[in-house]
Amino acid sequence: TGPKLLVCGSRDLLTPAHDAGSLAKGLCEPKEFTIVPEADHFWLGHEERLAGLVAAFFLKAFQGQATRPEADA
């Protein structure tokens, strides 16, 4: 399967870091799991950090992959 990114905040009360970590452990590679200190479920005040993690993940995941012509149609 393809690459997976799981990101949670240390103060997330809806999806606690422990639960997200358990989910991450059950996933096959490649995967990345990150806990953002002090972030809650809604990422208030941590939006730039989250955006950076997601952008870096996609750059890494798709680095070197050419766009398939049929995907552009």
Side-chain angles (χ1 to χ4, degrees):
T1 64
K4 293 155 285 296
L5 173 66
L6 285 90
V7 184
C8 72
S10 66
R11 292 189 172 188
D12 189 332
L13 300 178
L14 296 176
T15 307
H18 179 267
D19 292 348
S22 294
L23 174 64
K25 285 179 186 176
L27 296 174
C28 62
E29 295 290 344
K31 62 185 174 187
E32 293 183 28
F33 174 60
T34 302
I35 299 172
V36 177
E38 305 302 313
D40 64 12
H41 189 76
F42 302 101
W43 300 97
L44 297 175
H46 300 275
E47 298 88 351
E48 286 186 28
R49 171 82 169 129
L50 177 61
L53 289 168
V54 172
F57 173 79
F58 278 110
L59 285 172
K60 181 179 170 184
F62 296 109
Q63 185 176 5
Q65 291 186 9
T67 302
R68 295 188 320 236
E70 64 271 14
D72 292 338

